[in-house]
Structure formats: C-alpha cells, structure tokens
Amino acid sequence: MVRFEKQNLSQRMTDELGKAIVAGKYSAEAGLPTEAMLCEEYGISRTAVREAVKMLSAKGLISSRPRQGIRLEPAEKWNMYDTSVLRWLLESSPSLRVLKEFLQMRLAIEPQAAALAAQHGDAVAVDAIGDAAQRMLDAAADPAVDLMTADLDFHTSILRASGNRFFFQLRDFVSTALNVSIQHTTPAKGNVLSIAQDHYKIYEAIRSGQAERAKNLMTHLIDEAMVFIEKEIEKTSN
C-alpha cells in the first residue's frame, strides 16, 4: 500500500495515479479500481480520491459518470499542454517519441517566434534573451553557472519577446519538455561552448533585427536536436 503524508494528499495521489495511467498500468478494458480500492491502495480518504479523480478528469486522462464508474480515456483525449501530463509522458518508457513530437512542435513555433522577436521585440525583452545567452557562454567557462536554467530562460525569453501572446502562453509547456530534451541532446553534442555560441548567434540576429537569419538559426538548432533524437529512437527500435 502506498501511504502519503496528510499534506496535499489529493495532489500526491493525482501524480502517482497519473504516472500509472500514462505508463499503461491500467487497461481501458479493465479500467481503474473502484473508489474503495483506491482508498485502500493509497491509504487515503474517499474525499481525497474524488479530488484526485476531478484533477485527472480535467487533464483528460479519465472520466467519471454515475453508474459507470471511473473510465480511462484514450491518449488522444489527454491534455498534452498540461505540464503534469507532459511530465508523466516524458518519465514513461516512450519518452524519446514524445520528445520527437515536441521537437516537431518547436519547429512550427520557435523559428517564427525568433523572427517576430527580431522584428518587434522591445529592448527589455531582447536584453533578457541576451542575458540568458551570455549566461550560457559563462557556463561553458565555469561549471558553477547553471547551463540548464540559462538555456530554458533563453527559449522562454524568445517566446516573450515575440509579442505573440499565444506563443508566450506555451512557456511552461516548453520549459517542462525542454528540461528533459536538453538532458538528452546537450551531452550528445558534447561541446558546451559550441552550444552556447549557437544560441548567442540567434540572440545577435534578434538584436540586429535580422528576422530571417534568426528564424533560420533557430530552425537549425532544433533540427540538430531532431537528428539526434531520431538516431536514438532508431537504436532502441533495433
């Protein structure tokens, strides 16, 4: 039996149950255990179980109807933009395939965001990109500097500088997936200085208003990551 601390029981159960659903522990045919069984398995009250069920329903993973019990929803209905759902997927076994889909989405958004930042980004927003890019360069020379945080800040700063509110609304989603993606792709490239320089070139293009160059450089950056992920998928398939 899994037992949680009293604090945030529903959130903790939501996390554990969400991971289990995404990992395929429960089948659509069998569905989830009953409320009483979940109470017993997780050692929590029916109230906490019902709150967790509501949270998972809002994320599209399950549905609960009178006299039908708790039913699993197909993956097509999951809210992929929910950062918890994305994190559970990235922690499950097919994480590389999820990363590939994430990179495909980045290719559709980030190059255009970089171009918009070059065209319309205000000085404060562009300076934030430059600050993150400089921290990446600093990290190449000093391991004490947090490269990961600087890299995440770089990409989310571009979304902000684009001036497109829809793009900026994706910042948490992008940060969640990038946090995993970078852990795969950065060691593969190996040269931290080269990675930092590639990012700094994008910043320079944005700062100088070169929209097409910023777009192309960002496309190249993501394409490199895509090539690596596809190679890793191929290895695991053989």
Side-chain angles (χ1 to χ4, degrees):
M1 179 191 297
V2 178
R3 286 201 176 273
F4 299 134
E5 298 296 330
K6 290 185 178 181
Q7 187 179 15
N8 297 322
L9 289 176
S10 297
Q11 288 88 342
R12 290 168 184 261
M13 183 186 170
T14 300
D15 195 60
E16 290 296 320
L17 198 52
K19 288 178 184 177
I21 292 170
V22 167
K25 178 179 177 180
Y26 304 104
S27 68
E29 294 75 23
L32 288 182
T34 63
E35 278 188 6
M37 293 170 69
L38 288 171
C39 288
E40 176 64 24
E41 181 177 352
Y42 290 93
I44 60 177
S45 68
R46 281 182 179 263
T47 300
V49 168
R50 287 168 184 167
E51 284 300 314
V53 166
K54 286 180 184 178
M55 292 180 198
L56 290 170
S57 295
K59 297 175 188 298
L61 270 66
I62 61 176
S63 60
S64 180
R65 300 181 181 89
R67 293 186 296 277
Q68 291 185 4
I70 305 170
R71 301 177 60 181
L72 294 177
E73 292 292 347
E76 296 76 28
K77 291 191 176 182
W78 298 351
N79 181 5
M80 296 291 288
Y81 291 103
D82 185 290
T83 55
S84 293
V85 175
L86 180 60
R87 176 170 53 81
W88 297 332
L89 281 165
L90 292 171
E91 290 173 356
S92 67
S93 54
S95 60
L96 287 174
R97 297 189 183 278
V98 176
L99 282 177
K100 180 178 178 179
E101 291 183 68
F102 168 65
L103 288 169
Q104 290 168 341
M105 194 205 78
R106 286 184 63 198
L107 276 172
I109 292 173
E110 287 196 63
Q112 184 60 33
L116 288 172
Q119 292 171 329
H120 309 299
D122 61 50
V124 173
V126 173
D127 283 349
I129 300 170
D131 174 73
Q134 183 59 55
R135 281 188 283 128
M136 290 188 71
L137 287 174
D138 294 342
D142 182 1
V145 178
D146 189 346
L147 176 65
M148 174 77 76
T149 299
D151 203 341
L152 294 175
D153 288 347
F154 177 84
H155 291 279
T156 54
S157 293
I158 288 177
L159 295 177
R160 178 187 288 277
S162 74
N164 184 303
R165 289 173 293 176
F166 294 97
F167 286 176
F168 188 56
Q169 286 283 321
L170 295 172
R171 64 192 181 279
D172 291 338
F173 170 82
V174 168
S175 292
T176 299
L178 263 176
N179 191 48
V180 175
S181 179
I182 290 169
Q183 294 177 49
H184 284 274
T185 55
T186 297
K189 191 162 184 178
N191 190 331
V192 174
L193 178 59
S194 177
I195 293 169
Q197 289 172 335
D198 287 344
H199 284 71
Y200 202 86
K201 287 175 185 175
I202 296 172
Y203 159 63
E204 289 181 321
I206 291 172
R207 183 186 60 187
S208 60
Q210 296 176 285
E212 196 62 28
R213 177 170 169 74
K215 184 176 183 178
N216 291 338
L217 288 170
M218 181 64 82
T219 299
H220 176 71
L221 192 73
I222 301 171
D223 272 337
E224 276 193 330
M226 179 71 81
V227 168
F228 169 75
I229 293 298
E230 287 178 337
K231 286 181 179 177
E232 288 299 297
I233 290 173
E234 188 176 345
K235 286 180 186 176
T236 58
S237 300
N238 294 333

PDB file of all heavy atoms in Angstrom, residues 27-56:
ATOM      1  N   SER A  27      -5.550  -0.917 -17.931  1.00  0.00           N
ATOM      2  CA  SER A  27      -6.036  -1.060 -19.303  1.00  0.00           C
ATOM      3  C   SER A  27      -7.400  -0.405 -19.451  1.00  0.00           C
ATOM      4  O   SER A  27      -8.156  -0.288 -18.479  1.00  0.00           O
ATOM      5  CB  SER A  27      -6.142  -2.539 -19.677  1.00  0.00           C
ATOM      6  OG  SER A  27      -7.179  -3.169 -18.942  1.00  0.00           O
ATOM      7  N   ALA A  28      -7.726  -0.006 -20.685  1.00  0.00           N
ATOM      8  CA  ALA A  28      -9.021   0.618 -20.936  1.00  0.00           C
ATOM      9  C   ALA A  28     -10.150  -0.371 -20.669  1.00  0.00           C
ATOM     10  O   ALA A  28     -11.240   0.014 -20.233  1.00  0.00           O
ATOM     11  CB  ALA A  28      -9.075   1.118 -22.384  1.00  0.00           C
ATOM     12  N   GLU A  29      -9.900  -1.649 -20.942  1.00  0.00           N
ATOM     13  CA  GLU A  29     -10.937  -2.663 -20.742  1.00  0.00           C
ATOM     14  C   GLU A  29     -11.247  -2.849 -19.252  1.00  0.00           C
ATOM     15  O   GLU A  29     -12.398  -2.867 -18.840  1.00  0.00           O
ATOM     16  CB  GLU A  29     -10.488  -4.001 -21.343  1.00  0.00           C
ATOM     17  CG  GLU A  29     -10.334  -4.001 -22.851  1.00  0.00           C
ATOM     18  CD  GLU A  29      -9.082  -3.287 -23.329  1.00  0.00           C
ATOM     19  OE1 GLU A  29      -8.115  -3.162 -22.520  1.00  0.00           O
ATOM     20  OE2 GLU A  29      -9.067  -2.827 -24.484  1.00  0.00           O
ATOM     21  N   ALA A  30     -10.189  -2.959 -18.465  1.00  0.00           N
ATOM     22  CA  ALA A  30     -10.379  -3.190 -17.022  1.00  0.00           C
ATOM     23  C   ALA A  30     -10.729  -1.907 -16.281  1.00  0.00           C
ATOM     24  O   ALA A  30     -11.442  -1.928 -15.282  1.00  0.00           O
ATOM     25  CB  ALA A  30      -9.111  -3.806 -16.432  1.00  0.00           C
ATOM     26  N   GLY A  31     -10.239  -0.776 -16.791  1.00  0.00           N
ATOM     27  CA  GLY A  31     -10.489   0.499 -16.137  1.00  0.00           C
ATOM     28  C   GLY A  31      -9.695   0.650 -14.846  1.00  0.00           C
ATOM     29  O   GLY A  31      -8.784  -0.130 -14.564  1.00  0.00           O
ATOM     30  N   LEU A  32     -10.060   1.650 -14.074  1.00  0.00           N
ATOM     31  CA  LEU A  32      -9.395   1.896 -12.799  1.00  0.00           C
ATOM     32  C   LEU A  32     -10.093   1.130 -11.678  1.00  0.00           C
ATOM     33  O   LEU A  32     -11.265   0.779 -11.799  1.00  0.00           O
ATOM     34  CB  LEU A  32      -9.415   3.385 -12.470  1.00  0.00           C
ATOM     35  CG  LEU A  32      -8.510   4.311 -13.280  1.00  0.00           C
ATOM     36  CD1 LEU A  32      -8.652   5.729 -12.762  1.00  0.00           C
ATOM     37  CD2 LEU A  32      -7.062   3.877 -13.207  1.00  0.00           C
ATOM     38  N   PRO A  33      -9.392   0.907 -10.593  1.00  0.00           N
ATOM     39  CA  PRO A  33     -10.047   0.296  -9.427  1.00  0.00           C
ATOM     40  C   PRO A  33     -11.177   1.202  -8.927  1.00  0.00           C
ATOM     41  O   PRO A  33     -11.238   2.396  -9.249  1.00  0.00           O
ATOM     42  CB  PRO A  33      -8.913   0.216  -8.399  1.00  0.00           C
ATOM     43  CG  PRO A  33      -7.648   0.263  -9.200  1.00  0.00           C
ATOM     44  CD  PRO A  33      -7.952   1.136 -10.377  1.00  0.00           C
ATOM     45  N   THR A  34     -12.050   0.651  -8.122  1.00  0.00           N
ATOM     46  CA  THR A  34     -13.144   1.432  -7.543  1.00  0.00           C
ATOM     47  C   THR A  34     -12.594   2.441  -6.540  1.00  0.00           C
ATOM     48  O   THR A  34     -11.429   2.350  -6.123  1.00  0.00           O
ATOM     49  CB  THR A  34     -14.135   0.510  -6.817  1.00  0.00           C
ATOM     50  OG1 THR A  34     -13.446  -0.120  -5.727  1.00  0.00           O
ATOM     51  CG2 THR A  34     -14.695  -0.542  -7.758  1.00  0.00           C
ATOM     52  N   GLU A  35     -13.430   3.382  -6.136  1.00  0.00           N
ATOM     53  CA  GLU A  35     -13.014   4.359  -5.123  1.00  0.00           C
ATOM     54  C   GLU A  35     -12.523   3.658  -3.864  1.00  0.00           C
ATOM     55  O   GLU A  35     -11.497   4.037  -3.289  1.00  0.00           O
ATOM     56  CB  GLU A  35     -14.183   5.292  -4.776  1.00  0.00           C
ATOM     57  CG  GLU A  35     -14.383   6.431  -5.732  1.00  0.00           C
ATOM     58  CD  GLU A  35     -15.419   7.414  -5.207  1.00  0.00           C
ATOM     59  OE1 GLU A  35     -15.883   7.245  -4.059  1.00  0.00           O
ATOM     60  OE2 GLU A  35     -15.749   8.361  -5.950  1.00  0.00           O
ATOM     61  N   ALA A  36     -13.279   2.636  -3.444  1.00  0.00           N
ATOM     62  CA  ALA A  36     -12.913   1.924  -2.208  1.00  0.00           C
ATOM     63  C   ALA A  36     -11.543   1.261  -2.348  1.00  0.00           C
ATOM     64  O   ALA A  36     -10.722   1.297  -1.427  1.00  0.00           O
ATOM     65  CB  ALA A  36     -13.975   0.881  -1.883  1.00  0.00           C
ATOM     66  N   MET A  37     -11.279   0.699  -3.521  1.00  0.00           N
ATOM     67  CA  MET A  37      -9.994   0.030  -3.758  1.00  0.00           C
ATOM     68  C   MET A  37      -8.855   1.049  -3.801  1.00  0.00           C
ATOM     69  O   MET A  37      -7.759   0.794  -3.308  1.00  0.00           O
ATOM     70  CB  MET A  37     -10.056  -0.768  -5.055  1.00  0.00           C
ATOM     71  CG  MET A  37     -11.013  -1.957  -4.996  1.00  0.00           C
ATOM     72  SD  MET A  37     -11.290  -2.734  -6.614  1.00  0.00           S
ATOM     73  CE  MET A  37      -9.681  -3.459  -6.910  1.00  0.00           C
ATOM     74  N   LEU A  38      -9.127   2.205  -4.396  1.00  0.00           N
ATOM     75  CA  LEU A  38      -8.107   3.257  -4.453  1.00  0.00           C
ATOM     76  C   LEU A  38      -7.810   3.790  -3.047  1.00  0.00           C
ATOM     77  O   LEU A  38      -6.657   4.075  -2.718  1.00  0.00           O
ATOM     78  CB  LEU A  38      -8.555   4.394  -5.374  1.00  0.00           C
ATOM     79  CG  LEU A  38      -8.548   4.085  -6.873  1.00  0.00           C
ATOM     80  CD1 LEU A  38      -9.219   5.219  -7.652  1.00  0.00           C
ATOM     81  CD2 LEU A  38      -7.128   3.870  -7.374  1.00  0.00           C
ATOM     82  N   CYS A  39      -8.855   3.913  -2.247  1.00  0.00           N
ATOM     83  CA  CYS A  39      -8.659   4.347  -0.856  1.00  0.00           C
ATOM     84  C   CYS A  39      -7.735   3.381  -0.132  1.00  0.00           C
ATOM     85  O   CYS A  39      -6.837   3.788   0.607  1.00  0.00           O
ATOM     86  CB  CYS A  39     -10.000   4.417  -0.124  1.00  0.00           C
ATOM     87  SG  CYS A  39     -11.059   5.785  -0.641  1.00  0.00           S
ATOM     88  N   GLU A  40      -7.972   2.089  -0.358  1.00  0.00           N
ATOM     89  CA  GLU A  40      -7.173   1.063   0.301  1.00  0.00           C
ATOM     90  C   GLU A  40      -5.742   1.063  -0.239  1.00  0.00           C
ATOM     91  O   GLU A  40      -4.770   0.994   0.528  1.00  0.00           O
ATOM     92  CB  GLU A  40      -7.813  -0.312   0.074  1.00  0.00           C
ATOM     93  CG  GLU A  40      -7.015  -1.488   0.631  1.00  0.00           C
ATOM     94  CD  GLU A  40      -6.895  -1.460   2.144  1.00  0.00           C
ATOM     95  OE1 GLU A  40      -7.753  -0.835   2.807  1.00  0.00           O
ATOM     96  OE2 GLU A  40      -5.926  -2.051   2.661  1.00  0.00           O
ATOM     97  N   GLU A  41      -5.603   1.162  -1.559  1.00  0.00           N
ATOM     98  CA  GLU A  41      -4.268   1.097  -2.170  1.00  0.00           C
ATOM     99  C   GLU A  41      -3.398   2.275  -1.774  1.00  0.00           C
ATOM    100  O   GLU A  41      -2.198   2.122  -1.507  1.00  0.00           O
ATOM    101  CB  GLU A  41      -4.394   1.049  -3.695  1.00  0.00           C
ATOM    102  CG  GLU A  41      -3.052   0.952  -4.418  1.00  0.00           C
ATOM    103  CD  GLU A  41      -3.194   0.826  -5.916  1.00  0.00           C
ATOM    104  OE1 GLU A  41      -4.327   0.659  -6.408  1.00  0.00           O
ATOM    105  OE2 GLU A  41      -2.159   0.910  -6.609  1.00  0.00           O
ATOM    106  N   TYR A  42      -4.004   3.482  -1.726  1.00  0.00           N
ATOM    107  CA  TYR A  42      -3.216   4.681  -1.438  1.00  0.00           C
ATOM    108  C   TYR A  42      -3.328   5.148   0.009  1.00  0.00           C
ATOM    109  O   TYR A  42      -2.656   6.103   0.403  1.00  0.00           O
ATOM    110  CB  TYR A  42      -3.631   5.810  -2.390  1.00  0.00           C
ATOM    111  CG  TYR A  42      -3.188   5.549  -3.820  1.00  0.00           C
ATOM    112  CD1 TYR A  42      -4.032   4.923  -4.718  1.00  0.00           C
ATOM    113  CD2 TYR A  42      -1.914   5.915  -4.250  1.00  0.00           C
ATOM    114  CE1 TYR A  42      -3.628   4.666  -6.018  1.00  0.00           C
ATOM    115  CE2 TYR A  42      -1.493   5.664  -5.545  1.00  0.00           C
ATOM    116  CZ  TYR A  42      -2.356   5.036  -6.425  1.00  0.00           C
ATOM    117  OH  TYR A  42      -1.944   4.772  -7.715  1.00  0.00           O
ATOM    118  N   GLY A  43      -4.184   4.488   0.771  1.00  0.00           N
ATOM    119  CA  GLY A  43      -4.296   4.821   2.181  1.00  0.00           C
ATOM    120  C   GLY A  43      -4.831   6.221   2.437  1.00  0.00           C
ATOM    121  O   GLY A  43      -4.360   6.908   3.353  1.00  0.00           O
ATOM    122  N   ILE A  44      -5.803   6.650   1.616  1.00  0.00           N
ATOM    123  CA  ILE A  44      -6.371   7.986   1.785  1.00  0.00           C
ATOM    124  C   ILE A  44      -7.895   7.907   1.797  1.00  0.00           C
ATOM    125  O   ILE A  44      -8.480   6.866   1.510  1.00  0.00           O
ATOM    126  CB  ILE A  44      -5.902   8.963   0.681  1.00  0.00           C
ATOM    127  CG1 ILE A  44      -6.311   8.453  -0.701  1.00  0.00           C
ATOM    128  CG2 ILE A  44      -4.400   9.158   0.733  1.00  0.00           C
ATOM    129  CD1 ILE A  44      -5.958   9.400  -1.817  1.00  0.00           C
ATOM    130  N   SER A  45      -8.535   9.034   2.099  1.00  0.00           N
ATOM    131  CA  SER A  45      -9.982   9.069   2.224  1.00  0.00           C
ATOM    132  C   SER A  45     -10.668   9.140   0.858  1.00  0.00           C
ATOM    133  O   SER A  45     -10.043   9.450  -0.156  1.00  0.00           O
ATOM    134  CB  SER A  45     -10.398  10.289   3.047  1.00  0.00           C
ATOM    135  OG  SER A  45     -10.111  11.479   2.312  1.00  0.00           O
ATOM    136  N   ARG A  46     -11.970   8.863   0.863  1.00  0.00           N
ATOM    137  CA  ARG A  46     -12.748   8.974  -0.373  1.00  0.00           C
ATOM    138  C   ARG A  46     -12.746  10.417  -0.890  1.00  0.00           C
ATOM    139  O   ARG A  46     -12.747  10.643  -2.093  1.00  0.00           O
ATOM    140  CB  ARG A  46     -14.201   8.513  -0.139  1.00  0.00           C
ATOM    141  CG  ARG A  46     -14.357   7.005  -0.121  1.00  0.00           C
ATOM    142  CD  ARG A  46     -15.815   6.607   0.071  1.00  0.00           C
ATOM    143  NE  ARG A  46     -15.971   5.166   0.077  1.00  0.00           N
ATOM    144  CZ  ARG A  46     -16.334   4.435  -0.983  1.00  0.00           C
ATOM    145  NH1 ARG A  46     -16.568   5.032  -2.134  1.00  0.00           N
ATOM    146  NH2 ARG A  46     -16.455   3.125  -0.886  1.00  0.00           N
ATOM    147  N   THR A  47     -12.743  11.366   0.034  1.00  0.00           N
ATOM    148  CA  THR A  47     -12.716  12.775  -0.379  1.00  0.00           C
ATOM    149  C   THR A  47     -11.459  13.081  -1.189  1.00  0.00           C
ATOM    150  O   THR A  47     -11.520  13.726  -2.239  1.00  0.00           O
ATOM    151  CB  THR A  47     -12.769  13.699   0.854  1.00  0.00           C
ATOM    152  OG1 THR A  47     -13.969  13.449   1.580  1.00  0.00           O
ATOM    153  CG2 THR A  47     -12.728  15.165   0.428  1.00  0.00           C
ATOM    154  N   ALA A  48     -10.313  12.603  -0.699  1.00  0.00           N
ATOM    155  CA  ALA A  48      -9.052  12.825  -1.404  1.00  0.00           C
ATOM    156  C   ALA A  48      -9.052  12.118  -2.756  1.00  0.00           C
ATOM    157  O   ALA A  48      -8.558  12.648  -3.751  1.00  0.00           O
ATOM    158  CB  ALA A  48      -7.882  12.347  -0.558  1.00  0.00           C
ATOM    159  N   VAL A  49      -9.623  10.901  -2.798  1.00  0.00           N
ATOM    160  CA  VAL A  49      -9.707  10.156  -4.056  1.00  0.00           C
ATOM    161  C   VAL A  49     -10.561  10.923  -5.063  1.00  0.00           C
ATOM    162  O   VAL A  49     -10.195  11.062  -6.233  1.00  0.00           O
ATOM    163  CB  VAL A  49     -10.290   8.744  -3.824  1.00  0.00           C
ATOM    164  CG1 VAL A  49     -10.650   8.082  -5.156  1.00  0.00           C
ATOM    165  CG2 VAL A  49      -9.295   7.876  -3.069  1.00  0.00           C
ATOM    166  N   ARG A  50     -11.689  11.431  -4.610  1.00  0.00           N
ATOM    167  CA  ARG A  50     -12.590  12.145  -5.515  1.00  0.00           C
ATOM    168  C   ARG A  50     -11.952  13.422  -6.051  1.00  0.00           C
ATOM    169  O   ARG A  50     -12.155  13.790  -7.206  1.00  0.00           O
ATOM    170  CB  ARG A  50     -13.908  12.450  -4.801  1.00  0.00           C
ATOM    171  CG  ARG A  50     -14.762  11.199  -4.613  1.00  0.00           C
ATOM    172  CD  ARG A  50     -15.931  11.410  -3.676  1.00  0.00           C
ATOM    173  NE  ARG A  50     -16.648  10.156  -3.458  1.00  0.00           N
ATOM    174  CZ  ARG A  50     -17.551   9.964  -2.508  1.00  0.00           C
ATOM    175  NH1 ARG A  50     -17.849  10.960  -1.659  1.00  0.00           N
ATOM    176  NH2 ARG A  50     -18.152   8.792  -2.371  1.00  0.00           N
ATOM    177  N   GLU A  51     -11.185  14.104  -5.195  1.00  0.00           N
ATOM    178  CA  GLU A  51     -10.478  15.296  -5.667  1.00  0.00           C
ATOM    179  C   GLU A  51      -9.452  14.932  -6.731  1.00  0.00           C
ATOM    180  O   GLU A  51      -9.293  15.629  -7.734  1.00  0.00           O
ATOM    181  CB  GLU A  51      -9.792  16.006  -4.490  1.00  0.00           C
ATOM    182  CG  GLU A  51     -10.726  16.788  -3.603  1.00  0.00           C
ATOM    183  CD  GLU A  51     -11.459  17.888  -4.347  1.00  0.00           C
ATOM    184  OE1 GLU A  51     -10.806  18.622  -5.113  1.00  0.00           O
ATOM    185  OE2 GLU A  51     -12.687  18.004  -4.191  1.00  0.00           O
ATOM    186  N   ALA A  52      -8.736  13.831  -6.512  1.00  0.00           N
ATOM    187  CA  ALA A  52      -7.745  13.374  -7.492  1.00  0.00           C
ATOM    188  C   ALA A  52      -8.422  12.996  -8.804  1.00  0.00           C
ATOM    189  O   ALA A  52      -7.911  13.298  -9.889  1.00  0.00           O
ATOM    190  CB  ALA A  52      -6.965  12.187  -6.933  1.00  0.00           C
ATOM    191  N   VAL A  53      -9.564  12.351  -8.706  1.00  0.00           N
ATOM    192  CA  VAL A  53     -10.315  11.970  -9.900  1.00  0.00           C
ATOM    193  C   VAL A  53     -10.732  13.208 -10.687  1.00  0.00           C
ATOM    194  O   VAL A  53     -10.646  13.251 -11.920  1.00  0.00           O
ATOM    195  CB  VAL A  53     -11.550  11.112  -9.521  1.00  0.00           C
ATOM    196  CG1 VAL A  53     -12.519  10.997 -10.694  1.00  0.00           C
ATOM    197  CG2 VAL A  53     -11.108   9.733  -9.063  1.00  0.00           C
ATOM    198  N   LYS A  54     -11.166  14.248  -9.968  1.00  0.00           N
ATOM    199  CA  LYS A  54     -11.538  15.503 -10.633  1.00  0.00           C
ATOM    200  C   LYS A  54     -10.341  16.104 -11.375  1.00  0.00           C
ATOM    201  O   LYS A  54     -10.463  16.580 -12.500  1.00  0.00           O
ATOM    202  CB  LYS A  54     -12.068  16.507  -9.606  1.00  0.00           C
ATOM    203  CG  LYS A  54     -13.463  16.209  -9.085  1.00  0.00           C
ATOM    204  CD  LYS A  54     -13.886  17.269  -8.079  1.00  0.00           C
ATOM    205  CE  LYS A  54     -15.243  16.949  -7.475  1.00  0.00           C
ATOM    206  NZ  LYS A  54     -15.649  17.955  -6.456  1.00  0.00           N
ATOM    207  N   MET A  55      -9.181  16.090 -10.717  1.00  0.00           N
ATOM    208  CA  MET A  55      -7.977  16.655 -11.340  1.00  0.00           C
ATOM    209  C   MET A  55      -7.590  15.874 -12.589  1.00  0.00           C
ATOM    210  O   MET A  55      -7.250  16.465 -13.627  1.00  0.00           O
ATOM    211  CB  MET A  55      -6.822  16.645 -10.337  1.00  0.00           C
ATOM    212  CG  MET A  55      -6.987  17.585  -9.158  1.00  0.00           C
ATOM    213  SD  MET A  55      -5.549  17.504  -8.036  1.00  0.00           S
ATOM    214  CE  MET A  55      -6.231  18.245  -6.554  1.00  0.00           C
ATOM    215  N   LEU A  56      -7.636  14.554 -12.512  1.00  0.00           N
ATOM    216  CA  LEU A  56      -7.269  13.730 -13.657  1.00  0.00           C
ATOM    217  C   LEU A  56      -8.309  13.839 -14.771  1.00  0.00           C
ATOM    218  O   LEU A  56      -7.967  13.751 -15.953  1.00  0.00           O
ATOM    219  CB  LEU A  56      -7.103  12.276 -13.223  1.00  0.00           C
ATOM    220  CG  LEU A  56      -5.879  12.012 -12.338  1.00  0.00           C
ATOM    221  CD1 LEU A  56      -5.940  10.605 -11.751  1.00  0.00           C
ATOM    222  CD2 LEU A  56      -4.590  12.206 -13.114  1.00  0.00           C
TER     223      LEU A  56
END
